[in-house]
Amino acid sequence: MKVDVVKSLIVVLLVALIAYGLYAVSEYDTVRGWLTGVSAAVLAVTGVLTFGVSFEGERSSVMFKVLSGIMFFVFLFANLIFAFFEFGLPLYIILNGVLFLVYALTAVSIVRTKQ
């Protein structure tokens, strides 16, 4: 695994701006902090793994980047929906948790194939 520090830093700064945008758009004070923190975390992980990391096996690297890119946009879309509508905090945590764990399980499976 090889990490490109410059690309990773750019992605983290971009994610910070996206998270602040979600904070600014959300009108519901009770969940603003959770929305900002959770969206920043999941978008940073998926974004850095999409753009800032490469693997030795070409097939694994491509599959991993495609999975991470798809999940980045899934998390972005889900958090945009949550920013515009009122929701219960348990629903938000459970949905993001399940999505992230499915992502992690699939990513680990891809990395272990070593192709």
Side-chain angles (χ1 to χ4, degrees):
M1 183 169 84
K2 184 178 174 184
V3 178
D4 187 346
V5 177
V6 174
K7 287 182 182 177
S8 297
L9 181 62
I10 291 170
V11 168
V12 168
L13 293 174
L14 179 66
V15 164
L17 290 172
I18 291 171
Y20 177 71
L22 291 172
Y23 175 83
V25 167
S26 179
E27 298 176 359
Y28 309 104
D29 291 333
T30 57
V31 292
R32 270 183 158 174
W34 281 96
L35 179 68
T36 306
V38 172
S39 64
V42 295
L43 291 175
V45 169
T46 56
V48 167
L49 291 176
T50 300
F51 297 106
V53 175
S54 61
F55 294 97
E56 294 175 8
E58 187 175 328
R59 289 182 183 174
S60 294
S61 184
V62 169
M63 287 189 302
F64 192 80
K65 286 180 180 285
V66 168
L67 171 70
S68 295
I70 290 170
M71 290 306 292
F72 180 86
F73 286 107
V74 166
F75 279 118
L76 181 61
F77 182 70
N79 284 305
L80 277 170
I81 290 173
F82 280 119
F84 286 108
F85 299 104
E86 190 172 8
F87 57 90
L89 189 57
L91 172 68
Y92 180 69
I93 293 172
I94 290 169
L95 179 69
N96 277 295
V98 167
L99 284 174
F100 188 77
L101 290 175
V102 167
Y103 165 70
L105 179 66
T106 309
V108 167
S109 299
I110 290 172
V111 170
R112 287 190 179 165
T113 59
K114 295 182 182 178
Q115 290 185 2

